Amino acid sequence: MTAPTPAPTLATTPPTLQSFVQDRWVTPAHGLAAIRSAIDGRVVAFASSDGVDFSAAVRHARTIGGPALRALTFHERADRLKALATFLSERKEQLYALSADTGATKRDNLFDIDGGIGTLFAYASRGRRELPAERFVIDGDTEPLSRGGTFVGLHVMTPLNGVAVHINAFNFPCWGMLEKLAPAILAGVPVITKPATATAYVAEAVVRLIVEAELLPKGALQLVCGAAGDLLDHLGGQDVVSFTGSADTSDRLRNHPVIGRNAVRFIAERDSLNAAVLGPDASPGAPEFDLFVKEVVREMSVKAGQKCTAIRRVVVPRPLEATVIDAIKAQLDKITVGDPRHDEVRMGPLASLSQRAAVREAVADLLTEAEIVAGDPLVAAPIGGDMATGAFMAPVLLACADPLAARRVHTVEPFGPVATVMPYDTLDEAVAIVAKGEGSLVASVFTHDDRVADALVFGLAPFHGRVLIVDRDCAKESTGHGSPLPGLVHGGPGRAGGGEEMGGLRGVFHYMQRTALQGSPARLAALTRRWLKGAPAPVAAVHPFKRDYEGLAVGDTVETDSRQITIADIEHFADFTGDAFYAHMDEAAAKANPFFPGRVAHGYLILSFAAGLFVDPAPGPLLANYGLDNLRFLKPVSPGDAIKVRLTVKEKRPARKPDYGEVRWDVEVFNQDGETVARYDLLTMSARRDAASSAAAA
């Protein structure tokens, strides 16, 4: 047994947590609530929101934080998120030490602290890759609204001019805050974050580091430690409330008169009785059986089962029920409970004695429909801990013989290391059992059978925000049942709250307003800085390939001469490439095809000839062509037809590296009758002026 890392002794008196409001730290004087260590019950901090002017905090976010964030482009916000993630990553060891008193083990910290920082990195990367260097986003394609093409529409998304209020749960004081913060800041909306008091000392430490970094604009982030006071009273239609916690608290917030009256956007992630389903093909000895047992045990023990995504219902084929119980029990017996600062401890305590009491109460409720088959909620042998002062609890596995007739096992969530085994007889019955949870964040399916996977996945999908399918093919790299990922939706219908977080840019768009714009192509192109068909396309005096990134203007156009396509061209292309498809080589067979009038040119011959028409061959600022998007061949080109090309600067985008920019060109290929035969977007990299000047000087 190793000795634990000693508890911090920087002060003899536990610190009083401060709120960070209006860009200053506020120290409460009254109403202090003691926050106790999950390990031994000692007071580790005091918290109160006394002294916080909530009206002023909201006003500060709207008048200072919002304008400062909206003045930045998406790329500039993304760069700040990346720098912030790097700053926090370099200082995460101090957060590890602090979070031990929440009951977190080293493994738990990977989910909370590293997971939170990783989410910042992920959104920084998406902001750079997937969003423009602008303050708005074009959503979707242009909608034609008139016969002559002079009146069109499109949708744009712009940041809400309000504040995002984030109310977080106690189980993930770092990740829970940062996974909400990242998309809001990237969207351009300031945040007031209120952590759960039980673990607020970790959240406060994270915010102190963020403030120290001086990377976010003034007013972009405020912190409330303690009660939320009258915060919601000051919200309006431009604001967002995002909540993680219990269904009861969610209902109170959602039914707040201001939320309804002012149509405040409300996002909830709450109670969720998530399930893992073992397919009937996954018998003992199959990889999927072992993977299932391993995942159930992991989800019961990581964060002591205090995860909104933890497996609560273990749904198994009835013939395998006893075998599954024995296998899970054997693994649970190896889980060492105790002080998380001991290296040999695999599961720490629950967050507080009151939380343990709530879990025990929930287990007692479940015992009206189930029986305990492993563990005891009242008995544990914590390493380096005491049951009287620390919130330790052994994992508890229950079994419910008739889950279709039961109710409590589908409605009562013991938020701790507890799961219930439920047998099924058919796949439809398995789906029906899981559906009795009335909506969850995630379900897992363990099978290697296509038919089983199809029946379970599409049966479960309407009731879940995420479905994980695990088999021998993906298990090695699977991120697991309980790990929400920045690129995938985190949320669920019904009991789970009906909300969504993250999901890539979906999480950013929660904080933006979608607006339809209508007008002429010229007007909308000027507003969006993206060329639209029908907008002015002046033919440039100097070929655009001869101009650097700064010298190109959206709408600059090249119109080429014509080139006739001959039979010899088609046959040479077929011989050179090996593409001798009958439509290009056999007149009779081509005519029999309803899409062709006879032999036709290869689509890629048209692209190649088009490039030959518009490319300026001399060395210049155009550095490379790196792709084509949205390619469509719209009309066959027959021998004897002539093609010409119009090439227009559609959009410009700064690149990650300062020596070049990315240019998107609209390419339209016409035949001799002016009909469009092909259309696509060409993607190129063009040198920046400063980089070109530096290279020339060198």
Side-chain angles (χ1 to χ4, degrees):
M1 180 183 297
T2 58
T5 304
T9 56
L10 299 179
T12 56
T13 302
T16 296
L17 303 183
Q18 295 177 299
S19 296
F20 186 70
V21 178
Q22 296 177 272
D23 293 301
R24 61 184 178 86
W25 290 100
V26 177
T27 304
H30 305 286
L32 297 178
I35 304 174
R36 297 185 179 275
S37 168
I39 299 171
D40 54 22
R42 75 184 187 284
V43 176
V44 294
F46 294 97
S48 170
S49 59
D50 173 59
V52 173
D53 184 335
F54 292 100
S55 175
V58 171
R59 186 165 57 251
H60 187 71
R62 288 178 181 151
T63 60
I64 303 298
L69 282 171
R70 294 193 298 272
L72 303 173
T73 66
F74 290 110
H75 287 193
E76 290 168 331
R77 295 174 209 145
D79 289 343
R80 297 199 182 199
L81 287 178
K82 181 179 180 180
L84 181 58
T86 301
F87 184 89
L88 293 177
S89 186
E90 293 168 350
R91 293 158 178 80
K92 63 185 178 183
E93 291 294 334
Q94 59 188 279
L95 300 176
Y96 290 168
L98 197 60
S99 68
D101 276 311
T102 71
T105 64
K106 292 180 180 178
R107 178 177 63 163
D108 297 337
N109 285 331
L110 294 177
F111 288 89
D112 186 25
I113 295 169
D114 292 78
I117 294 170
T119 301
L120 291 179
F121 275 123
Y123 270 96
S125 178
R126 282 187 178 271
R128 266 294 191 168
R129 291 193 331 265
E130 300 177 22
L131 291 173
E134 291 285 359
R135 298 168 182 83
F136 61 88
V137 181
I138 298 174
D139 179 35
D141 297 327
T142 304
E143 295 287 339
L145 302 176
S146 63
R147 184 172 298 176
T150 63
F151 186 59
V152 297
L154 56 76
H155 292 88
V156 296
M157 302 192 77
T158 53
L160 292 171
N161 284 200
V163 58
V165 174
H166 294 164
I167 303 173
N168 296 312
F170 69 82
N171 52 337
F172 288 101
C174 180
W175 176 84
M177 176 170 62
L178 297 183
E179 64 93 6
K180 290 181 173 67
L181 176 73
I185 294 297
L186 185 56
V189 177
V191 170
I192 297 175
T193 186
K194 198 214 86 65
T197 300
T199 53
Y201 50 95
V202 177
E204 191 223 36
V206 176
V207 172
R208 284 191 180 277
L209 290 174
I210 293 174
V211 173
E212 178 188 334
E214 296 185 338
L215 290 165
L216 298 183
K218 297 291 185 183
L221 174 62
Q222 299 179 80
L223 166 73
V224 174
C225 288
D230 65 350
L231 176 57
L232 299 189
D233 292 345
H234 307 288
L235 302 184
Q238 287 288 302
D239 303 316
V240 179
V241 174
S242 184
F243 167 80
T244 299
S246 71
D248 288 343
T249 305
S250 171
D251 288 343
R252 289 199 301 272
L253 295 175
R254 192 189 296 272
N255 294 323
H256 190 286
V258 167
I259 301 293
R261 182 173 63 247
N262 295 337
V264 177
R265 297 188 188 189
F266 186 83
I267 303 165
E269 185 263 286
R270 61 185 202 186
D271 295 0
S272 179
L273 283 95
N274 312 293
V277 184
L278 183 66
D281 60 299
S283 56
E288 289 72 28
F289 182 92
D290 295 334
L291 292 166
F292 179 82
V293 171
K294 180 180 179 180
E295 194 70 12
V296 171
V297 172
R298 178 167 66 172
E299 287 301 308
M300 290 179 69
S301 58
V302 169
K303 292 290 288 186
Q306 299 168 114
K307 294 168 58 182
C308 55
T309 53
I311 294 171
R312 306 296 180 199
R313 297 179 294 160
V314 183
V315 184
V316 303
R318 191 176 297 276
L320 298 179
E321 180 184 11
T323 307
V324 170
I325 289 173
D326 288 343
I328 294 174
K329 184 179 184 300
Q331 295 302 312
L332 290 177
D333 288 343
K334 299 176 184 179
I335 299 294
T336 49
V337 177
D339 184 336
R341 295 169 295 181
H342 286 268
D343 289 340
E344 64 268 41
V345 168
R346 289 183 58 190
M347 190 178 92
L350 278 75
S352 64
L353 291 174
S354 62
Q355 179 61 24
R356 184 179 67 182
V359 174
R360 287 173 170 173
E361 182 179 347
V363 170
D365 200 0
L366 295 182
L367 287 177
T368 61
E369 297 176 342
E371 62 176 340
I372 294 176
V373 293
D376 187 329
L378 304 178
V379 177
I383 297 171
D386 188 300
M387 291 285 287
T389 56
F392 301 102
M393 178 176 166
V396 174
L397 185 68
L398 299 98
C400 174
D402 190 359
L404 280 174
R407 185 182 65 84
R408 288 179 175 82
V409 294
H410 305 295
T411 59
V412 175
E413 182 183 18
F415 203 71
V418 181
T420 303
V421 177
M422 306 178 184
Y424 70 86
D425 293 307
T426 67
L427 293 178
D428 287 344
E429 191 172 290
V431 171
I433 289 169
V434 177
K436 284 177 71 69
E438 298 180 354
S440 301
L441 298 173
V442 56
S444 292
V445 173
F446 291 75
T447 182
H448 200 242
D449 183 283
D450 291 346
R451 181 187 64 84
V452 172
D454 190 277
L456 290 177
V457 169
F458 291 106
L460 298 175
F463 302 95
H464 296 84
R466 177 166 60 92
V467 176
L468 169 71
I469 307 100
V470 181
D471 59 27
R472 66 198 71 178
D473 299 329
C474 71
K476 186 176 180 180
E477 294 186 310
S478 170
T479 53
H481 170 101
S483 299
L485 300 174
L488 298 179
V489 165
H490 178 52
R495 187 184 305 279
E500 287 186 359
E501 295 176 336
M502 298 192 296
L505 293 185
R506 297 173 186 85
V508 177
F509 296 158
H510 287 317
Y511 299 95
M512 305 185 77
Q513 175 62 42
R514 182 181 290 104
T515 304
L517 303 183
Q518 297 170 275
S520 69
R523 173 59 60 204
L524 297 190
L527 287 169
T528 60
R529 271 81 83 181
R530 175 189 283 187
W531 184 81
L532 308 176
K533 188 172 183 179
V539 176
V542 177
H543 195 292
F545 285 10
K546 294 182 178 180
R547 283 184 282 168
D548 58 28
Y549 180 81
E550 285 76 14
L552 291 171
V554 171
D556 283 351
T557 297
V558 171
E559 292 184 352
T560 72
D561 294 331
S562 296
R563 171 169 180 164
Q564 189 176 56
I565 308 297
T566 67
I567 282 285
D569 291 328
I570 295 172
E571 293 182 345
H572 174 73
F573 192 86
D575 181 63
F576 184 71
T577 64
D579 181 358
F581 185 62
Y582 74 86
H584 313 306
M585 307 302 291
D586 186 326
E587 181 71 18
K591 279 188 175 181
N593 186 315
F595 293 104
F596 302 125
R599 293 177 68 180
V600 295
H602 304 69
Y604 294 104
L605 179 151
I606 296 169
L607 293 187
S608 299
F609 282 13
L613 289 169
F614 66 67
V615 164
D616 184 83
L622 190 133
L623 304 175
N625 161 7
Y626 68 94
L628 302 177
D629 279 350
N630 308 315
L631 171 62
R632 294 292 183 272
F633 297 113
L634 302 173
K635 188 176 180 63
V637 173
S638 301
D641 285 351
I643 63 169
K644 62 179 180 179
V645 184
R646 184 181 66 205
L647 179 76
T648 304
V649 178
K650 185 174 184 178
E651 189 176 16
K652 296 170 57 180
R653 177 189 177 114
R656 285 179 179 269
K657 295 183 178 180
D659 50 347
Y660 68 90
E662 299 170 357
V663 182
R664 180 179 290 268
W665 308 75
D666 180 89
V667 183
E668 192 164 7
V669 184
F670 303 93
N671 63 17
Q672 68 279 2
D673 298 321
E675 299 169 314
T676 302
V677 299
R679 190 162 193 175
Y680 55 95
D681 288 355
L682 172 69
L683 311 176
T684 68
M685 294 181 285
S686 294
R688 303 296 295 262
R689 185 162 300 167
D690 291 343
S693 300
S694 299

